[in-house]
Amino acid sequence: MAQKILFIVGSLRKRSFNRQLADKAREIIGSRADVSFLEWADVPFFNQDAEFPVPAAVARVRKAVQEADGIWIFSPEYNGAVPGALKNLLDWLSRPLIPGDFASGTAAAGKKVTVSGAGGKNATRSVRADLQKLLSFMRMEVLCADGSGFSADAESFQTDRLALREEDSARLESQAAEFLAAI
């Protein structure tokens, strides 16, 4: 049975560089695993007063995370930090499944996860470091060291198409192979 990998794209923009990067990773993985994308644009802002009963959108994303063998997050860097919408999603995934009972577990705890990002000159270095801390705090098993970051060139920003160099594709292939071997 093929491993199930759930891709989470940290940008809600349809043609985001990180969606394009995730599409490239999916192409690289090919038939070696079942890859799906988490649809999460309808997840509400986290509010502990509205945590239970669990909103339907939250229950749906939690179920998708629980059913995955591995999670691969592709995130841009917004002002040197994790995008607010992605942080909100991760906050929901970090909460207990049973009201007030953190010992009962969360949807994300124990999940194997890796991180990649495409952005500007910083190649998402800051967001990847922040995500590693956050995901570890959430008791997820962060794999593939620092993940991988990619700098979009000036032409990419003008055309809205992420152009990966050969060495970039090779790094993404290496990360995919390492992640697949670990899950």
Side-chain angles (χ1 to χ4, degrees):
M1 185 167 107
Q3 299 290 337
K4 291 182 181 181
I5 300 176
L6 183 65
F7 282 6
I8 299 175
V9 179
S11 170
L12 297 175
R13 191 170 71 88
K14 289 180 183 176
R15 289 289 306 148
S16 78
F17 291 152
N18 285 280
R19 175 60 192 230
Q20 293 175 56
L21 184 63
D23 287 339
K24 178 67 174 173
R26 182 182 203 173
E27 179 184 311
I28 288 168
I29 289 171
S31 63
R32 295 182 287 171
D34 289 332
V35 174
S36 61
F37 285 83
L38 183 66
E39 299 298 331
W40 57 276
D42 60 340
V43 171
F45 287 120
F46 178 75
N47 177 346
Q48 197 170 4
D49 291 338
E51 186 174 8
F52 294 102
V54 176
V58 173
R60 188 188 77 251
V61 298
R62 283 179 174 172
K63 182 176 189 283
V65 167
Q66 288 175 303
E67 291 175 350
D69 297 306
I71 311 293
W72 194 335
I73 298 174
F74 299 84
S75 182
E77 186 169 286
Y78 291 175
N79 297 316
V82 176
L86 177 59
K87 175 66 167 71
N88 180 66
L89 172 68
L90 295 173
D91 287 342
W92 274 110
L93 293 174
S94 74
R95 301 298 295 171
L97 298 174
I98 298 173
D101 184 5
F102 280 93
S104 67
T106 69
K111 289 292 174 183
K112 295 174 187 307
V113 62
T114 192
V115 177
S116 294
K121 291 180 183 176
N122 194 32
T124 67
R125 184 176 300 111
S126 297
V127 75
R128 286 182 290 115
D130 287 349
L131 280 171
Q132 293 213 354
K133 285 187 275 186
L134 175 59
L135 298 169
S136 293
F137 181 82
M138 291 170 60
R139 298 188 334 238
M140 296 180 80
E141 185 180 345
V142 182
L143 303 171
C144 306
D146 296 336
S148 58
F150 305 91
S151 295
D153 60 16
E155 184 177 334
S156 292
F157 283 101
Q158 292 175 357
T159 63
D160 209 21
R161 286 185 45 124
L162 180 64
L164 292 180
R165 299 176 314 236
E166 250 183 70
E167 59 266 21
D168 292 338
S169 292
R171 283 190 301 122
L172 195 60
E173 287 178 24
S174 176
Q175 183 178 6
E178 184 179 344
F179 189 53
L180 286 168
I183 62 169

